[in-house]
């Protein structure tokens, strides 16, 4: 708590300074030397007190204001996150998002108290351009591809039709509510209601991710809710833009509605193609990076962000683009790029998305403290109720239809969680700010905030006990085994064959066809020659070997004295060589120095496994979904673990 | 139509197949038309060549073994009953069937029978054990030619090591089932047969 409190105090002081320091004209604060001549300019400028002595100490806040404040916010977010993960019990009951919003409320209140004006709100541009992409990229990169594509039909069904159902339902019924009370809500037109419906109906991927991550429900359920929240962006974007442009048009005709429908397709597929394009280009670029492995991760981020920006520029669905880009390039980049770069990519993705998510929730809390809130009991309660009703009925209806076609039915319990887990978040919030001004805009903003707070707090907090209560099927936690991989592969081939016999173009058929296309063209083009033919079975096997070698470090193998001597001899020889041809220090050779430090600090200690580390090959532990920090790698993996190879060549390979 | 009259499906046959495999009437007729389209010789049975004429099956790494699975021990022809009996393994398990405890014998599409089918793809000599060699053969077929024998051998060793509980260096059916207990076999090994 101490660092957190000190940060609050520091922030307070900084804010007081910023409000006190008047913007200083740089020309007038120059030291004495130059002021002697210029100050007597006869422009009628009132003379300021010229400093008579050289200023030794000054505070120039405005010089650094923008980056300083950004860093302070990020620092606040990270410290808040540290803070309540430290207390063990709270995160189990209250989801992180709720706590972060509360912190935001606190900070917003503090700022309001100091400045007596509204605190900075989350600007829609900052949100859409900077805060949202990392989260969606992280989600797309770690998307369980197989599960996603198997359930793609259902996900699209929920995302497209479900969102449409929600939007129209909420919009129309809200209009009905407004008609009921013409005195206070009379100037809210149908189009306004529909516009509001379009932004409030969409399930938010950020909120869903943060709540579901802690729940560990079965994977199918997770992917259904999560996939829906990602893909409904296309519908939301179109409907929002549609209704906004309708508001600006003098009249709306049937043709416009039809065009709107076409627009959904354009936006969705456009985003898809933009993402595909950038994903393939990124994969191709990664093929040429082995000489400069340090910047390989950068390409992943740059291309993904470019795809997002491009589709935003063309008013296509940015989320679809960035998810497609990540899914497309993942397998090729992973094959092309070194282990260390892979770890870097995963690590940075997790870090950025975590920071982004934290910032979003804190800003949600801060932005709640507004100067003007317009409140209407009827409107707010009606919105809340209608959101729940329409979501529930939508899920029920759609599932009833889609269960007839699915192999694996969606049970009632799962349906309930899907309906209840439809959380709203920051996307609604930003969209509502972007509406053109009209008399009831404040009402919409207030209602949106209330809905978001309700879904995040009430639904977010109660969903975990409900999952336990309803005994929803949980995720089976299991380490992957080579057997499972092999047998799964066998079953895949078997099923593909049976589908061929039956003449049924089912999932396995298309999957097989894609795999053949992938192998024949894509992999050959996009992956480096050496890496091309590594089958997935081999990869799983190598991955497991690496993990076990890492785990073996815990068990100390007693070495014979002769082996110890030979190890020591090799190491000391290496040390001499390193010392004599020590390269000039640079960022790129940092890892050499670190390895060196480890050697030289050892001496005669009984750290046998550290010697083993230095000499044998170890690979990184792969990043688990809980964003654990990867182990530093010292050398590429090399052969089965049974032999300890004391080759000096291993060292040189660093 | 004279020579084909004997190959048309009779109602009693459909009923029998329905009872044995659990397929519905329409599914059986649809699969029968597929059977006849494959049956180029028009003699009411399928031979191995008929299967090999299916183009995608020819490039399937396990194609030969799958085809073999259709033919009962030592025979070279499979009739429609046998065809349906094999396909019945891949019928999805329905909810109401899961609760049926009064079934006289286990339905063909139960989890155990599905796994047995997969097991038999490995176990060619039907000794109820997957030996290291049998495993190596299947691995080689699935993984391709770009992996050295040594690596393949160590993968096979590891697979056996993960599954083997009684130390006989081969995988019995029970061990096989245990390894796959976390895998959702009921869903993976099912095809949606259109109604």
């Amino acid at each position: 708590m101490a660092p957190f409190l000190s940060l609050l105090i520091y922030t307070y002081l900084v804010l007081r300074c910023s409000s006190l320091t008047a913007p200083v004209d740089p020309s007038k604060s120059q030291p004495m030397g130059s002021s002697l001549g210029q100050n007597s300019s006869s422009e009628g400028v009132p003379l300021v007190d010229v400093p008579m002595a050289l200023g030794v100490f000054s505070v120039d806040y405005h010089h650094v204001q923008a980056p300083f404040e950004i860093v302070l916010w990020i620092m606040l977010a990270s410290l808040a996150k540290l803070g309540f993960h430290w207390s063990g019990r709270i995160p189990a009951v209250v989801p992180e998002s709720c706590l972060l919003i509360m912190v935001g409320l606190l900070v917003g209140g503090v700022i309001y108290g100091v400045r007596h004006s509204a605190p900075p709100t989350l600007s829609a541009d900052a949100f859409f351009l900077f805060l949202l992409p990392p989260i969606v990229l992280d989600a797309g990169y770690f998307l369980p591809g197989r599960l996603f594509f198997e359930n793609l039909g259902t996900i699209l069904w929920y995302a497209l039709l479900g969102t449409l159902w929600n939007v129209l339902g909420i919009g129309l019924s809200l209009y009905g509510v407004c008609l009921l009370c013409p005195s206070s809500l009379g100037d809210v037109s149908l189009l306004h209601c529909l516009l509001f419906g379009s932004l409030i109906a969409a399930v938010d991927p950020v909120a869903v991710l943060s709540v579901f991550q802690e729940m560990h429900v079965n994977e199918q359920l997770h992917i259904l809710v999560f996939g829906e929240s990602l893909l409904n962006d296309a519908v939301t974007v179109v409907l929002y833009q549609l209704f906004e442009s309708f508001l600006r048009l003098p009249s709306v005709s049937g043709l416009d509605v039809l065009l709107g429908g076409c627009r959904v397709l354009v936006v969705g597929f456009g985003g898809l193609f933009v993402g595909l394009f950038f994903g393939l280009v990124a994969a191709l670029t990664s093929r040429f990076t082995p000489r400069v492995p340090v910047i390989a991760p950068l390409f992943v981020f740059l291309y993904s962000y470019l795809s997002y920006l491009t589709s935003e520029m063309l008013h296509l669905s940015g989320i679809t683009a960035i998810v497609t880009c990540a899914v497309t390039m993942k397998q090729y980049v992973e094959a092309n790029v070194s282990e260390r770069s892979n770890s870097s990519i995963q690590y940075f993705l997790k870090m950025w998305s975590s920071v982004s998510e934290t910032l979003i929730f804190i800003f949600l809390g801060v932005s709640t403290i507004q100067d003007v809130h317009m409140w209407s009991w009827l409107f707010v309660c009606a919105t809340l109720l209608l959101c729940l009703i329409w979501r529930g009925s939508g899920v029920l209806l759609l599932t009833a239809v889609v269960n007839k076609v699915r192999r694996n039915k969606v049970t009632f319990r799962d349906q309930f969680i899907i309906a209840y887990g439809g959380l709203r978040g920051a996307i609604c919030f930003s969209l509502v700010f972007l509406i053109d001004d009209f008399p009831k805009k404040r009402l919409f903003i207030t209602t949106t905030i209330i809905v978001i707070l309700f879904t995040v707090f009430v639904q977010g907090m109660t969903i975990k006990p409900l999952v336990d209560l309803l005994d929803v099927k949980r995720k089976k936690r299991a380490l992957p085994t080579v057997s499972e991989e092999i047998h799964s592969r066998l079953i895949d081939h078997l099923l593909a064959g049976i589908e061929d016999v039956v003449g049924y173009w089912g999932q396995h058929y298309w999957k097989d066809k894609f795999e053949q296309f992938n192998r024949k063209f894509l992999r050959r083009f996009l992956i480096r020659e050496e890496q091309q033919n590594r089958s997935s079975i081999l990869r799983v096997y190598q991955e497991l070997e690496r993990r076990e070698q890492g785990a073996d470090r815990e068990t100390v193998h007693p070495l014979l004295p002769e082996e110890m001597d030979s190890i020591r001899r090799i190491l000391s020889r290496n040390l001499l060589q390193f010392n004599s041809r020590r390269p000039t220090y640079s960022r790129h050779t940092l890892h050499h120095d670190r390895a060196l430090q480890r050697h030289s600090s050892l001496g005669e200690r009984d750290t046998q496994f550290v010697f083993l580390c230095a000499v044998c090959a170890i690979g990184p532990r792969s990043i688990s979904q809980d964003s654990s920090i990867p182990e530093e790698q010292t050398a590429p993996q090399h052969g089965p673990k049974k032999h300890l190879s004391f080759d000096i060549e291993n060292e040189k390979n660093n | 139509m004279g020579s084909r009259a004997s190959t048309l499906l009779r109602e009693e046959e459909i009923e029998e197949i329905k009872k044995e495999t659990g397929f519905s009437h329409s599914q059986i007729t649809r699969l029968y038309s597929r059977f006849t389209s494959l049956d180029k010789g028009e003699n009411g049975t399928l031979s191995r060549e008929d299967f090999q004429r299916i183009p995608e099956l020819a490039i399937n790494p396990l194609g030969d073994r799958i085809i073999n699975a259709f033919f009962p021990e030592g025979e070279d022809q499979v009739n429609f009953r046998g065809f349906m009996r094999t396909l019945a393994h891949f019928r999805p398990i329905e909810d109401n069937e899961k609760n049926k405890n009064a079934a006289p014998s286990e339905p063909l599409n139960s989890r155990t029978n599905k796994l047995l089918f997969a097991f038999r793809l490995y176990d060619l000599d039907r000794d109820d054990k997957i030996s290291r060699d049998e495993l190596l053969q299947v691995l080689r077929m699935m993984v391709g030619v770009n992996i050295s024998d040594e690596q393949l051998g160590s993968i096979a060793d590891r697979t056996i090591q993960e599954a083997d509980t009684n130390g006989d260096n081969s995988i019995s059916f029970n061990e096989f089932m245990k390894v796959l207990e976390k895998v959702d076999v009921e869903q993976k090994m099912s095809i949606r047969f259109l109604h």
Side-chain angles (χ1 to χ4, degrees):
Chain A
M1 290 308 283
F4 189 61
L5 283 174
S6 57
L7 180 70
L8 271 181
I9 297 172
Y10 184 50
T11 321
Y12 172 79
L13 287 172
V14 162
L15 285 170
R16 283 237 73 118
C17 282
S18 72
S19 57
L20 286 176
T21 325
V24 179
D25 195 340
S27 67
K28 293 206 174 72
S29 64
Q30 276 169 11
M32 194 173 68
S34 54
S35 66
L36 288 174
Q38 269 95 343
N39 235 0
S40 46
S41 58
S42 49
E43 288 166 0
V45 175
L47 280 177
V48 179
D49 284 342
V50 175
M52 283 294 119
L54 188 65
V56 177
F57 179 77
S58 58
V59 176
D60 188 4
Y61 179 65
H62 282 273
H63 184 54
V64 295
Q65 180 172 9
F68 201 89
E69 288 186 343
I70 293 175
V71 170
L72 273 184
W73 280 114
I74 299 182
M75 184 77 90
L76 175 73
S78 315
L79 283 176
K81 220 171 150 91
L82 269 184
F84 54 72
H85 273 290
W86 205 356
S87 134
R89 252 180 14 107
I90 300 185
V93 175
V94 186
E96 211 174 88
S97 39
C98 301
L99 285 169
L100 287 171
I101 294 186
M102 286 197 278
V103 168
L105 282 170
L106 195 69
V107 173
V110 165
I111 296 181
Y112 190 77
V114 167
R115 282 228 192 114
H116 296 294
S117 68
T121 57
L122 182 61
S123 99
D125 272 344
F127 173 70
F128 278 116
L129 292 180
F130 298 118
L131 291 179
L132 187 61
I135 300 177
V136 187
L137 177 60
D138 174 47
Y141 202 78
F142 291 109
L143 201 65
R146 194 200 167 105
L147 208 58
F148 183 72
F149 284 111
E150 276 178 13
N151 290 302
L152 189 61
T154 317
I155 292 177
L156 278 174
W157 185 252
Y158 281 133
L160 299 177
L161 280 178
T163 314
L164 199 63
W165 169 270
N166 277 330
V167 168
L168 290 176
I170 295 178
L172 291 172
S173 30
L174 262 183
Y175 184 58
V177 167
C178 291
L179 285 178
L180 279 177
C181 187
S183 53
S184 55
L185 300 170
D187 51 350
V188 184
S189 71
L190 176 64
L191 274 176
H192 281 128
C193 284
L194 283 173
L195 182 64
F196 185 65
S198 74
L199 60 90
I200 203 88
V203 177
D204 187 77
V206 180
V208 163
L209 197 59
S210 76
V211 166
F212 270 74
Q213 228 170 28
E214 304 163 5
M215 279 204 306
H216 302 296
V217 289
N218 66 70
E219 289 150 341
Q220 182 185 281
L221 181 56
H222 187 201
I223 200 73
L224 284 177
V225 184
F226 185 60
E228 182 201 341
S229 68
L230 280 181
L231 292 185
N232 67 10
D233 182 59
V235 182
T236 312
V237 160
V238 168
L239 285 177
Y240 181 80
Q241 287 172 357
L242 200 66
F243 290 129
E244 248 206 331
S245 43
F246 281 174
L247 271 174
R248 295 195 197 122
L249 287 176
S251 66
V252 178
S253 68
L255 181 66
D256 292 320
V257 178
L258 193 64
L259 285 179
C262 296
R263 208 164 145 59
V264 176
L265 290 173
V266 166
V267 161
F269 281 109
L272 196 78
F273 284 128
V274 168
L276 268 177
F277 173 71
F278 278 103
L280 291 174
V281 174
L284 187 60
T285 316
S286 69
R287 181 184 172 159
F288 301 109
T289 56
R291 305 259 176 114
V292 198
V294 186
I295 56 171
L298 195 61
F299 282 116
V300 171
F301 306 131
L302 287 179
Y303 277 112
S304 319
Y305 195 43
L306 257 183
S307 73
Y308 182 79
L309 292 176
T310 312
S311 62
E312 284 290 314
M313 173 178 77
L314 301 170
H315 287 298
L316 304 172
S317 165
I319 293 185
T320 315
I322 205 172
V323 169
T324 318
C325 185
V327 168
T328 314
M329 73 173 151
K330 180 174 177 187
Q331 51 168 316
Y332 309 111
V333 164
E334 273 189 347
N336 273 334
V337 133
S338 71
E339 286 309 320
R340 190 184 254 151
S341 300
N342 261 327
S343 302
S344 308
I345 294 176
Q346 291 168 357
Y347 187 52
F348 273 110
L349 279 178
K350 288 275 168 215
M351 185 183 78
W352 270 329
S353 75
S354 176
V355 168
S356 249
E357 187 184 315
T358 321
L359 273 177
I360 288 178
F361 282 118
I362 287 196
F363 264 112
L364 266 179
V366 169
S367 313
T368 313
I369 315 284
Q370 294 268 329
D371 259 342
V372 180
H373 275 293
M374 198 186 288
W375 182 266
S376 155
W377 276 106
L378 179 65
F379 196 75
V380 171
C381 295
T383 312
L384 273 178
L385 209 62
L386 287 171
C387 280
L388 288 172
I389 295 177
W390 283 104
R391 173 123 184 113
S393 60
V395 168
L396 272 173
L397 272 174
L398 290 173
T399 318
V401 174
V402 91
N403 261 346
K404 292 202 174 26
V405 218
R406 271 182 68 90
R407 223 169 20 177
N408 224 17
K409 317 270 184 230
V410 182
T411 66
F412 274 115
R413 291 186 195 145
D414 286 351
Q415 285 176 41
F416 179 76
I417 298 295
I418 294 177
Y420 201 66
L423 303 176
R424 274 61 166 181
I427 293 188
C428 322
F429 187 73
S430 314
L431 284 178
V432 83
F433 268 100
L434 289 174
I435 304 181
D436 293 334
D437 227 352
F438 77 105
K440 284 290 190 299
K441 182 173 171 183
R442 286 266 146 212
L443 175 64
F444 278 9
I445 294 179
T446 312
T447 316
T448 313
I449 295 179
I450 297 297
V451 170
I452 296 177
L453 289 181
F454 180 83
T455 56
V456 171
F457 276 90
V458 175
Q459 286 177 240
M461 279 206 270
T462 53
I463 201 169
K464 201 154 178 216
L466 272 174
V467 161
D468 287 330
L469 194 70
L470 290 175
D471 199 22
V472 174
K473 214 163 81 152
R474 298 302 195 97
K475 180 158 85 164
K476 299 178 192 145
R477 310 235 204 154
L479 294 165
T481 58
V482 179
S483 312
E484 267 182 28
E485 178 74 23
I486 292 181
H487 300 318
S488 301
R489 197 65 116 57
L490 178 101
I491 293 176
D492 279 341
H493 284 305
L494 170 62
L495 264 287
I498 297 288
E499 279 185 2
D500 294 326
V501 169
V502 176
Y504 171 63
W505 281 7
Q507 243 170 36
H508 292 92
Y509 175 77
W510 290 115
K511 190 163 174 301
D512 227 27
K513 277 255 178 269
F514 173 70
E515 277 302 314
Q516 282 169 28
F517 172 68
N518 196 10
R519 215 176 309 138
K520 252 199 276 187
F521 300 111
L522 292 178
R523 283 183 83 93
R524 216 184 282 173
F525 189 49
L526 297 171
I527 299 187
R528 284 188 284 151
E529 284 85 35
E530 314 87 69
Q531 305 282 47
Q532 250 170 33
N533 294 310
R534 289 170 55 194
S535 120
S536 73
I537 291 180
L538 186 61
R539 263 183 271 141
V540 171
Y541 172 69
Q542 285 173 339
E543 177 64 40
L544 282 171
E545 288 290 290
R546 252 181 270 135
R547 259 194 234 170
E548 287 203 351
Q549 282 176 4
D552 268 348
R553 263 192 277 158
E554 323 290 279
T555 64
V556 178
H557 301 289
L559 288 180
L560 303 169
E562 309 87 70
E563 291 177 54
M564 280 299 295
D565 279 343
S566 63
I567 295 176
R568 256 184 236 132
R569 247 181 286 125
I570 293 173
L571 285 176
S572 46
R573 213 182 315 160
N574 271 349
L575 265 176
L576 288 175
Q577 286 183 350
F578 260 84
N579 273 329
S580 58
R581 49 181 179 84
R582 194 183 180 110
T584 46
Y585 181 86
S586 78
R587 268 203 316 276
H588 308 291
T589 53
L590 186 59
H591 55 277
H592 285 302
D593 286 353
R594 279 223 232 126
L596 192 58
Q597 277 172 22
R598 223 185 284 152
H599 294 175
S600 50
S601 67
L602 282 175
E604 302 292 308
R605 280 191 300 147
D606 185 32
T607 50
Q608 292 176 346
F609 45 84
V610 182
F611 283 141
L612 284 177
C613 291
V615 175
C616 308
I618 308 168
R621 291 203 199 105
S622 71
I623 307 264
S624 66
Q625 286 286 56
D626 318 313
S627 50
S628 54
I629 301 175
E631 213 56 38
E632 214 196 49
Q633 180 199 6
T634 48
Q637 87 269 22
H638 183 81
K641 62 179 167 161
K642 299 183 191 103
H643 309 292
L644 303 173
S645 45
F646 302 139
D647 292 334
I648 304 183
E649 278 68 52
N650 256 353
E651 292 292 328
K652 286 204 184 122
N653 274 344
N654 271 345
Chain B
M1 293 286 278
S3 62
R4 292 203 66 179
S6 55
T7 61
L8 280 176
L9 211 49
R10 296 186 307 277
E11 269 304 313
E12 313 91 69
E13 258 196 89
I14 297 184
E15 283 303 312
E16 279 173 40
I17 295 178
K18 200 167 166 182
K19 223 176 293 177
E20 192 185 355
T21 60
F23 282 116
S24 76
H25 195 108
S26 49
Q27 284 171 334
I28 296 177
T29 27
R30 188 184 284 256
L31 287 168
Y32 185 69
S33 57
R34 174 71 180 168
F35 181 82
T36 41
S37 72
L38 289 174
D39 180 16
K40 295 292 189 308
E42 292 190 1
N43 49 3
T45 59
L46 291 176
S47 67
R48 285 199 166 80
E49 287 74 38
D50 288 322
F51 280 103
Q52 275 155 0
R53 241 178 261 124
I54 304 174
E56 289 84 8
L57 202 55
I59 45 179
N60 193 316
L62 299 174
D64 286 326
R65 298 210 174 196
I66 297 176
I67 296 174
N68 255 336
F70 277 91
F71 294 87
E73 275 300 315
E75 289 182 25
D76 279 333
Q77 303 281 334
V78 59
N79 60 8
F80 185 58
R81 289 289 285 273
F83 184 70
M84 292 303 281
R85 209 172 291 135
T86 314
L87 287 182
H89 286 98
F90 300 98
R91 210 165 57 81
I93 299 182
E94 259 124 60
D95 273 325
N96 49 359
E97 280 180 348
K98 278 192 211 151
N99 302 326
K100 243 196 239 167
N101 295 322
S105 65
E106 216 170 333
L108 281 170
N109 65 339
S110 70
R111 186 195 163 96
T112 316
N113 278 327
K114 285 186 200 278
L115 284 172
L116 192 60
F117 194 91
F119 187 79
R120 295 235 170 95
L121 282 183
Y122 286 107
D123 184 24
L124 281 183
D125 55 5
R126 298 294 163 97
D127 62 352
D128 281 330
K129 280 203 293 244
I130 304 178
S131 69
R132 187 173 185 271
D133 286 325
E134 287 170 339
L135 190 59
L136 267 176
Q137 276 178 29
V138 175
L139 270 176
R140 176 57 75 190
M141 289 198 290
M142 288 203 291
V143 153
V145 295
N146 297 300
I147 299 188
S148 68
D149 280 328
E150 194 187 281
Q151 272 182 323
L152 214 59
S154 43
I155 293 178
D157 284 329
R158 201 206 158 90
T159 312
I160 296 186
Q161 188 192 16
E162 279 171 355
D164 201 14
T165 47
N166 59 357
D168 59 353
N169 216 29
S170 60
I171 308 178
S172 73
F173 182 54
N174 286 326
E175 290 164 353
F176 185 71
M177 279 209 292
K178 186 140 203 320
V179 167
L180 290 179
E181 68 185 353
K182 294 213 179 71
V183 174
D184 193 1
V185 173
E186 293 92 331
Q187 198 223 341
K188 269 174 102 94
M189 279 190 72
S190 302
I191 298 184
R192 198 163 45 86
F193 291 96
L194 301 162
H195 290 289

